[in-house]
């Protein structure tokens, strides 16, 4: 009798252990959106498509039910899930929807946030060519009506008033995330830094299509080099470098990425430049 009870306890224990230790599966289409407070706080959000997704909390895909918003002094950003036409209590940092891949169609998401003690709310994205989106206010859809394609960012006007936005994401025969993730660009890509505007520090990200010799430098508005962030050989893929600007004054600065060939360093030099704003 006792042996049966012990065996039953052991089987239940390992069954529960298996459930709670499972690694969430990745949705077949995965898109990333980053929301910042214009300073140092960042929230990474995810949307996408999967045949097993629902309008509720999909634990197996890594969605998780979030508690109510923190106090107003704390930055936060998340999605309200579509139960009861987005008027329910479910919210998550990920919002995956049901669909078969390749997928064509439009899905609506509701992005909610609070600025906290930050200077602003800025939304960053980097979509594949088969995906576009429309960001709108939920009042009339005319106060905020911004197209989102490719790689870009959007500074939310009056974020304390427009703290809930409608995100309409359109897929055009979009393939699964693994196929798109394995494709490197035809040339290197320099992304917009985030957060931007920033206070004290920001992250600069870029993708290389091959092994490249890289120089990443910072310039002021007079064109004078003030920092050499990195110089050396890097492998193909996406890289991130954090820029600390504690000793600089507020203003516009430029970051320049220069590459000079692949492993044998024989290719012609190529340069991309983007601007960023330091606010203190």
């Amino acid at each position: 009798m006792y042996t049966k009870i012990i065996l039953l306890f052991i089987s239940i224990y390992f069954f529960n252990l298996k459930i709670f230790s499972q690694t969430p599966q990745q949705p077949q289409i995965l898109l990333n959106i980053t929301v910042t407070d214009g300073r140092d706080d960042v929230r990474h959000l995810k949307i996408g498509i999967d045949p097993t997704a629902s309008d509720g909390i999909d634990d197996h895909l890594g969605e998780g039910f979030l508690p109510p918003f923190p106090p107003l002094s704390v930055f936060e950003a998340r999605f309200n899930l579509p139960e009861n036409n987005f008027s329910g209590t479910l919210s998550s940092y990920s919002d995956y929807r049901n669909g078969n891949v390749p997928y064509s169609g439009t899905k609506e998401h509701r992005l909610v946030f609070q600025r906290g003690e930050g200077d602003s709310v800025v939304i960053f994205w980097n979509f594949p060519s088969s995906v576009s989106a429309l960001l709108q206010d939920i009042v009339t859809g005319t106060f905020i009506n911004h197209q989102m394609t490719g790689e870009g960012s959007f500074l939310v006007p009056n974020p304390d008033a427009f703290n809930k936005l409608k995100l309409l994401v359109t897929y055009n025969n979009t393939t699964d995330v693994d196929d798109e993730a394995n494709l490197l660009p035809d040339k290197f890509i320099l992304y917009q830094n985030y957060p931007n505007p920033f206070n004290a520090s920001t992250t600069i990200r870029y993708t290389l299509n091959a092994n490249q010799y890289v120089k990443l430098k910072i310039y002021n508005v007079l064109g004078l080099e003030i920092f050499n962030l990195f110089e050396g050989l890097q492998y193909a893929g996406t890289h991130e470098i954090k820029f600390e600007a504690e000793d600089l004054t507020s203003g516009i600065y430029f970051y320049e990425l220069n590459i000079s060939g692949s492993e044998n360093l024989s290719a012609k030099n190529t340069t991309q430049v983007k601007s960023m704003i330091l606010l203190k």
Side-chain angles (χ1 to χ4, degrees):
M1 177 68 178
Y2 291 110
T3 302
K4 291 182 179 180
I5 294 176
I6 292 173
L7 290 174
L8 178 61
F9 172 79
I10 292 175
S11 65
I12 292 174
Y13 172 80
F14 280 105
F15 177 74
N16 288 331
L17 181 64
K18 182 178 180 181
I19 290 177
F20 291 109
S21 64
Q22 284 180 336
T23 301
Q25 74 181 55
Q26 182 171 277
Q28 292 190 5
I29 298 175
L30 173 63
L31 304 172
N32 293 286
I33 295 174
T34 300
V35 184
T36 81
D37 69 342
R39 300 197 303 181
D40 299 322
D41 286 335
V42 177
R43 182 67 71 196
H44 297 289
L45 307 178
K46 300 178 183 297
I47 57 177
I49 300 293
D50 193 87
T52 65
S54 69
D55 286 345
I57 296 293
D58 297 313
D59 295 307
H60 66 289
L61 294 174
E63 294 182 352
F65 175 72
L66 296 176
F69 261 58
L72 290 176
S73 60
V74 179
F75 169 74
E76 175 64 320
R78 60 178 65 171
F79 291 112
N80 277 347
L81 299 191
E83 62 167 352
N84 299 323
N85 195 28
F86 297 98
S87 63
T89 60
L90 295 181
S91 62
S92 175
Y93 295 136
S94 303
D95 186 10
Y96 305 120
R97 300 299 178 79
N98 182 267
N100 294 314
V101 176
Y103 182 76
S104 294
T106 299
K107 297 291 186 181
E108 179 180 342
H109 304 267
R110 292 291 177 90
L111 177 63
V112 293
F113 50 81
Q114 63 186 29
R115 179 173 55 88
E117 296 181 346
D119 305 304
S120 57
V121 171
V122 188
I123 302 169
F124 295 83
W125 65 89
N126 184 22
F127 293 157
S129 59
S130 62
V131 175
S132 61
L134 183 63
L135 191 66
Q136 294 181 322
D137 66 273
I138 63 173
V139 180
T140 63
T142 57
F143 295 106
I144 295 177
N145 188 31
H146 187 79
Q147 292 284 344
M148 302 166 64
T149 57
E151 181 253 339
S153 63
F154 178 71
L155 176 66
V156 179
N158 196 359
D160 295 328
F162 296 112
N163 57 4
K164 297 180 181 179
L165 298 178
K166 180 188 301 184
L167 180 64
L168 299 171
V169 182
T170 300
Y171 302 85
N172 183 15
N173 201 35
T174 304
T175 58
D176 65 87
V177 67
D178 290 333
D179 286 345
E180 295 194 3
N182 290 330
L183 294 176
L184 288 173
D186 294 332
K187 59 182 181 178
F188 74 95
I189 300 175
L190 178 62
Y191 302 101
Q192 186 65 51
N193 64 300
Y194 67 89
N196 185 53
F198 68 100
N199 180 1
S201 66
T202 188
T203 298
I204 297 174
R205 186 166 61 99
Y206 52 92
T207 298
L208 305 177
N209 65 330
N211 298 347
Q212 306 280 4
Y213 192 83
V214 171
K215 296 178 183 179
L216 181 61
K217 297 182 178 183
I218 306 296
Y219 296 87
N220 61 20
V221 291
L222 299 177
L224 299 176
E225 179 185 329
I226 55 176
F227 285 100
N228 186 358
L229 290 184
F230 180 83
E231 183 171 352
L233 184 66
Q234 288 187 320
Y235 294 105
T238 299
H239 304 268
E240 290 187 352
I241 295 180
K242 191 172 184 180
F243 173 49
E244 303 284 353
E246 295 179 354
D247 297 330
L248 297 179
T249 59
S250 296
I252 298 175
Y253 295 87
F254 300 90
Y255 55 101
E256 176 192 83
L257 181 66
N258 175 274
I259 63 170
S260 54
S262 55
E263 292 179 87
N264 58 14
L265 308 182
S266 62
K268 182 180 178 180
N269 287 9
T270 308
T271 299
Q272 289 186 14
V273 179
K274 286 186 179 291
S275 63
M276 56 185 174
I277 301 175
L278 173 62
L279 292 178
K280 289 188 174 181

